[in-house]
Amino acid sequence: MNSNKRKNRLIEAKSLYLKQHQTNPVHWQPFSPEVVAMAATENKPIFLSIGYSSCHWCHVMAHESFVDQATADYLNDNFICIKVDKEEYPDLDQYYQQASQLFVQTGGWPLSAFLMPDMKPYFVGTYFPKEKQGEGATFMELIQELRRAYHENKEEVLKNATEVDERIREGLIPKDKVEFEGHFPGPLGIIKAIEPYKDSEFGGYGEAPKFPHFPYYEWCLEQMLEGMIPQEEGQHIIDSIEGMLMGGMYDHARGGIHRYSVDKKWLVPHFEKMLYDQSGLLRVLSKTSLLYPSPMILDGLMDTLHYLEKEMKADNHYFFASQDADSEGVEGLYFTFTKEEFEDLVNRSSDTNLSLEDKIEEIKGWFQIGDTPNFERNLNVISLDPDKKNSFYTDENWPIIRKIRNSILEERKNRIPPATDNKGIASWNFMLLTSLVEVMQYVKYDQIRQKASDLLNYALEGMYNQFLQTENQVIVGMNHTNTLDKTPSFFEDYVFFTESQLRVYEITGNSQFKKNFSDAMDFLHSEFIEDGNRVLTRAKAKKETCPYPNLYLDGFDQSFKNPIATFIHMARRGRVLFKDANKWPNVDAIMENLKHQVLKNPINGGEGLRACTYPDHVYR
């Protein structure tokens, strides 16, 4: 296709992220092997832009550069421009995220990848501004230099791109082993080893930005419940979880959690909400409720279930992917209040049974609303002050907290809400199914358990219709997302499907779920393992024409828990279920690799700790 006749072809896309870019003057093409082939035909490099619909900085770069006619003209004349929703192609995103780490030592979204016609990367970065900011290049300066390098230094550019591709294919995780005695280091030893990274003041680990590390917290909670970690040693975990729920990361009005905190106090979140984070939150809170059934924990469970029901549940029985960080083009606007708005809201919350006028200053203190705003544009993030919890954790005052939260929710109904991405993603939905079972199993309060049961029963049928390909009630394939007619077979989808089927079987006794578990585990074992102990992103048997590598997965948790670790966990439990200690034999070699990876970074290897901690005899 001649570049002068090319146009923006995102108009037919189902992805909300692609729809957000369908009116850009950039001649965006949806990803396909045919579009990639244009680059070789026209002797042009590829500009591959990867993001997702709820990403704030994706919106910023779009508003700055992709709607700018001069920038678009230069891109259209000199590059084949491809726009990808990272949630539709997680393996494509993974490959270029690793390339970004090699080029600029960081990753994230929007991801800006510049590729040779064979898709090997010759430069990858993230957000680039339109206007000069410090010493960094503007986006126009960058694309002009990369166009020049491609045409004037092609031999060297190709050599560098080939070297980067080879490094990624080999794997970026060092293969050296961690020395330890016995089956695996004890939980208390691991806790002690990461003591230097603990934030004793605000909870969590490390500096800002702070992520929730749900798999690691879940492992700690399980070990505390088992009696392997004394509660006094695990108190930091309890405090961290409570701190997250009191901070602005948690949505105090509706329930549910935002993706991460931009500061170390858990106060100011990055406001987008992802389905997988709600799954991790439910798992952690369900087990925390057995150790520390505070009103914050129990309300967090119930309100998050309500949030999923009211805002994330699709009519055709699955759960939406995410909600945006921005509303009306402003990050966090929907969720934040001026001091005056908050005071007015409190005054209007009084009723015949609850007068709040005399307590307004105390209430503002609880919610950390002072004369100095804690966010931008004179706005305040809604949060609770952990130092005042003895004041509001009372029979008299917690109903006031609930009342104010409900008033905030009612007030927000008058605002324009953030956009919801109604895409269904198989792996995320299956993770949520499992989390609902966790709530039903661990939480001791009937009302919360019933709400989880209602959501589980609602979703079970839809999962099959949305994501599974069946013939005569036999699963023959799986679609990663319902926004694409055909997708590769991804390891993560099958793994989290097996977990959901095993957990549902355990609470129902329905043999069909047991069979689904077994069939999917057999498929995983035969189609995703190479060289005995390396796990592929995509199935071997599916001969997709993907013009980029089928990468080996590592053992670390990323946005959500690690699928290799969950696979090992499921295999070890499945051996007990089927009374066969030798079933799926490659699992043992994979687990040996995983042990050494997670011990190098336990905080980001929580799911691996869950899979590896128990010795074999525990499973017999």
Side-chain angles (χ1 to χ4, degrees), residues 10 30 45 122 135 146 161 192 198 244 293 346-347 353 438 449 467 555 559 571 583 603 619:
L10 302 184
Y122 73 97
E135 297 181 359
L146 291 173
K192 291 292 188 183
K198 183 169 72 175
M244 279 192 290
V346 172
N347 287 330
N353 298 318
E438 296 277 311
R449 294 170 63 181
F467 306 116
S559 297
K583 197 171 180 64
I603 299 169
Y619 288 86

Side-chain angles (χ1 to χ4, degrees), residues 222-233:
E222 289 173 343
Q223 297 308 308
M224 292 165 69
L225 289 167
E226 293 273 9
M228 301 301 294
I229 297 176
Q231 186 154 349
E232 59 269 21
E233 291 292 341

